[in-house]
Amino acid sequence: MSSRPRRRALLSLFAVATAGAGASACAFRGESGPARPTAPPTPPPVTEPAVPLGTQARTIAEENRLPGSPDWLKDKSAHNASGDRYGHIMGYASTTSAGHGETVDFHISVRSARTYRVGIFRIGHYGGEGARLMSVSSPLKGYRQPPPKTDPKTGAVVCSWARSWSMRIPKGWRSGLYQAVFTTDDGYRSSTPFVVREPERASALLCVIPFTTYQAYNMWPKDGKNGKNLYRGYLRSGAIGGFDRRAFKVSFDRPYAGAGVPSWFNMDTAFVRWAEERGYDITYASSLDLHDGTIDPGRYRAVFFPGHDEYWSEPMYASASRAVDAGRNLAFLGANNVYFHVRMEKSANGRPNRVMACYKSFDDPAPGAAGPTTRWRQIRRDASLSEQRLLGIQFNGIVQKPVPLVVRQPDHWLWRGTGVRDGEQLTDLVGVEADAYDAKSPDPRGGRRTLLADSRYLDDRLPGPQIQHTALTEHHGGGKVFMAGTFHWPLALVDGDSYTENLSIDTATRRKIRRATVNLVNRLTAPSPR
């Protein structure tokens, strides 16, 4: 069979089927809805080497010239997306990243006795489709896995689900941000992301995906009863409660809420799609790869953090600091980064880095040598671990509604070719959260800061207008750190995002931010002069 008909046949497996609306009962309560099928206590995992579709690419540019597929889950509003209350299908991966030859286990629960398939997508440009279907499993028998357990002391919601399907990463697959899409035979879908690493290849640009922050915001299951994250939990009434209902620890052994698309996943996918369209020499890592040393950021000319990367462990902070001190460059395209200190712990069955602790304003019962799990700027009395010490600026507020980003230093290389003027307003570019220079917080040692935007916004919690900065800070060792200082920078890089469609980011602003980001990538990945 030629590659094109074979691809069409495989894609047809993901065609959306007509399905009846299910009952709204919680997926684990045994209320109305299909009866729970009987499942073997420990089903044998189905391990299949992934079957690549089409030609194997040698470069990112070649990879993105291959045919794409629109069938990945871009956001939580995807058609026929599974939900947590009914739980048509949902699952999680055994790891946030894997290298060539390594195995990823998927733990999947299906509400009723149906067959399903697992499709593996690599996110990129692919002619504007946004992803490529890399592999698909054979039909798998679905059954409902046991309900999650909640730790009464920490609030951690943990699944102990059996393996449903396992996949070895082929050597021909390029490093990237991947998404496993679980599809039932009646068309319901959910997903979970993971990264394929290539640590043996020191690309010019390393892109880090913020799985620690994904998990901090993950409130699975959103069923009106059991869900918790590091911010909230449910009241007995079924309404979402406040800070006092939150968890102190969260587990990676559970699906992501809704369709399995993490909060602010679109910030990361926007940059990935944009960067791969341009064929940059890029590889990928999970934030946990920085934590456990699987990836050394000092091997790359530039490390980009395109999304919301708020939750950092001490090893993550230390590895990024060493890279900057060695003359490597960092770029954060979101805001409110490196804000909370977290501690990674073992799961109940001894697997490392499957539980994340962050007590925030509560007393941490086991702070360890790295200090309590609170804001980085509060670990020491002198605030010497403030995020501004590394980043040059730091989080300072929540944006009430989007406002323009006001350009400064228009002659700086970041703005070259954009045509911007001093004081020019780039529409709706400051949104969600913002960063700014804080004169009361420690500066990088020997650092030189350039403020490239100086905007004003309102925060409902604070009196008067607040300041937003976009900044570039050069450290004493020559390493540079760029901070966009807003959530909307990466979202301006692509068109058609369901979130930005409701904003007033006009075509001219998008064009200017895309050109500025080209300048940023080119400058930070340029070989260091000898």
Side-chain angles (χ1 to χ4, degrees), residues 456-510:
R456 299 295 181 271
Y457 69 92
L458 296 178
D459 184 333
D460 288 336
R461 310 166 306 157
L462 302 171
Q466 304 301 308
I467 299 171
Q468 178 274 341
H469 287 143
T470 299
L472 182 81
T473 301
E474 185 169 350
H475 286 244
H476 66 90
K480 301 177 182 66
V481 179
F482 172 79
M483 294 285 290
T486 169
F487 273 42
H488 286 179
W489 187 289
L491 298 177
L493 297 175
V494 296
D495 296 314
D497 177 82
S498 60
Y499 175 80
T500 55
E501 283 176 352
N502 297 319
L503 302 178
S504 299
I505 301 178
D506 56 34
T507 301
T509 293
R510 291 180 184 275

Side-chain angles (χ1 to χ4, degrees), residues 3-15 51-53 71 117 133-137:
S3 62
R4 182 169 295 178
R6 182 182 179 197
R7 177 176 171 269
R8 282 200 298 265
L10 287 168
L11 285 175
S12 70
L13 298 171
F14 292 86
V51 181
L53 302 181
D71 294 320
R117 294 178 184 264
L133 178 61
M134 305 294 290
S135 177
V136 64
S137 74

Side-chain angles (χ1 to χ4, degrees), residues 190-310:
S190 67
S191 64
T192 197
F194 65 99
V195 163
V196 170
R197 305 185 307 265
E198 286 184 70
E200 68 279 5
R201 185 166 76 86
S203 58
L205 192 160
L206 176 70
C207 178
V208 178
I209 305 300
F211 281 84
T212 49
T213 301
Y214 287 169
Q215 205 55 254
Y217 282 85
N218 182 17
M219 202 172 163
W220 186 91
K222 281 191 172 180
D223 59 358
K225 181 180 179 181
N226 298 299
K228 287 181 181 288
N229 60 17
L230 292 181
Y231 293 87
R232 297 176 181 83
Y234 284 105
L235 302 171
R236 290 189 177 183
S237 65
I240 295 177
F243 199 66
D244 61 325
R245 307 295 297 182
R246 74 177 190 89
F248 299 126
K249 296 182 181 181
V250 288
S251 171
F252 286 79
D253 290 324
R254 57 180 181 147
Y256 290 100
V261 180
S263 295
W264 296 110
F265 189 58
N266 57 345
M267 295 174 71
D268 298 292
T269 59
F271 175 76
V272 168
R273 294 163 63 190
W274 175 86
E276 297 226 343
E277 180 183 11
R278 281 147 188 81
Y280 290 127
D281 179 22
I282 184 171
T283 54
Y284 295 80
S286 153
S287 51
L288 289 175
D289 294 323
L290 295 189
H291 169 80
D292 64 17
T294 300
I295 295 290
D296 176 8
R299 297 183 65 225
Y300 305 85
R301 295 173 190 167
V303 182
F304 272 61
F305 302 85
H308 181 36
D309 213 332
E310 183 177 357

Side-chain angles (χ1 to χ4, degrees), residues 296-300 303 318-330 479:
D296 176 8
R299 297 183 65 225
Y300 305 85
V303 182
S319 67
S321 298
R322 286 193 300 270
V324 172
D325 290 343
R328 300 307 191 185
N329 305 312
L330 310 179

